[in-house]
Structures are given as structure tokens and as C-alpha cells.
Amino acid sequence: MKQFTYAGVSRLNGELKLRFTTSDARFLHLVKVGHTEVEMIKLTRPMTKDEAIKELLVRGFDNGRTEITNLLVGNARGATIKKNTVVVKVPAKFMVELVGAGTEVTETMTAAQARKIRDSWNKQHQHLSYDGE
């Protein structure tokens, strides 16, 4: 099964699509051939498409953008969406890799609650950002 190190989305002719690659050069290629709104992140380890989609959901890649949330959930096996809540079934072995062995995830929250926590974390950790550099 093919594994990828980068995942994200891009828009071509108005259609939003999932993108997967093993090279960061793919970002530049997508822009060169006319894609807009190209967003990709480096995955924590090489992953299959399904694993990458689940990681994007867990990491809050959609950042509250409904179109991206629906695209991710629509393509993820074992994921469902409820009103204002995304539920992702992630196998325990992957949760350990994503959040650490000593962390137990027991709380379910709405997308708005998750966005508030994510925004707060991002604000506190702006110095780690690569934006604009």
C-alpha cells in the first residue's frame, strides 16, 4: 500500500480536492499548473491515504472550514459527522502516535469548542509558525 508524507487540499476550477504526496515539491507543482488554495502539512510519519485523512481530522486541519471538514469526513473510512461535531474512530495504536502514550482522550467536543482550544494553542505558540518566512 502506497504511503505519503504530506497531505492536504487544493482547488482547481472551483473544485476542492484532497492531495497526497511524498515530496514537498508537489506544492509548487500544483500552484504552477493552476491550483489555488493549496494547503499541505507534513504528516507525523508515512501514512496511507485513509490514515492521513484521519490525522488531518485529528490535527484540526480544517480549522472550522465546513467544506474541508465535509471533504475529509466524506473520504475517511470509519468517520462520521454529527451536527457541529466530527467523530473520528482512530485505532488506539495511532492515538498513541498522535497524542502520546500517557494521554487518554475521553472528552468529546463540538467543532466550535475544538476551534477555540486550537486557536488558543496557536496564539500561544505563534513563535513556532513558519508563516511569512
Side-chain angles (χ1 to χ4, degrees), residues 64-115:
R65 296 170 290 182
T66 306
E67 185 179 21
I68 294 176
T69 303
N70 291 339
L71 181 65
L72 292 170
V73 172
N75 284 280
R77 286 184 231 135
T80 57
I81 189 164
K82 298 178 183 177
K83 185 179 180 184
N84 297 323
T85 305
V86 176
V87 177
V88 181
K89 296 175 186 171
V90 179
K93 67 179 184 176
F94 297 120
M95 283 304 293
V96 169
E97 292 177 26
L98 291 172
V99 298
T103 305
E104 183 178 336
V105 179
T106 57
E107 186 177 341
T108 302
M109 62 181 76
T110 66
Q113 291 169 322
R115 183 173 41 257

Side-chain angles (χ1 to χ4, degrees), residues 27-44:
F27 177 89
L28 297 174
H29 175 74
L30 290 171
V31 172
K32 184 178 179 180
V33 297
H35 290 252
T36 59
E37 300 176 40
V38 180
E39 295 180 52
M40 296 189 112
I41 62 169
K42 185 168 182 162
L43 302 169
T44 55

Side-chain angles (χ1 to χ4, degrees), residues 11-76:
R11 189 176 300 276
L12 182 63
N13 299 326
E15 186 178 356
L16 190 67
K17 294 211 170 211
L18 288 172
R19 302 292 174 197
F20 305 92
T21 185
T22 56
S23 168
D24 57 356
R26 176 79 167 141
F27 177 89
L28 297 174
H29 175 74
L30 290 171
V31 172
K32 184 178 179 180
V33 297
H35 290 252
T36 59
E37 300 176 40
V38 180
E39 295 180 52
M40 296 189 112
I41 62 169
K42 185 168 182 162
L43 302 169
T44 55
R45 62 176 175 75
M47 297 182 179
T48 64
K49 285 183 180 181
D50 196 48
E51 292 169 333
I53 290 169
K54 289 175 183 174
E55 180 168 332
L56 291 174
L57 284 164
V58 169
R59 289 174 62 178
F61 177 79
D62 59 332
N63 200 22
R65 296 170 290 182
T66 306
E67 185 179 21
I68 294 176
T69 303
N70 291 339
L71 181 65
L72 292 170
V73 172
N75 284 280

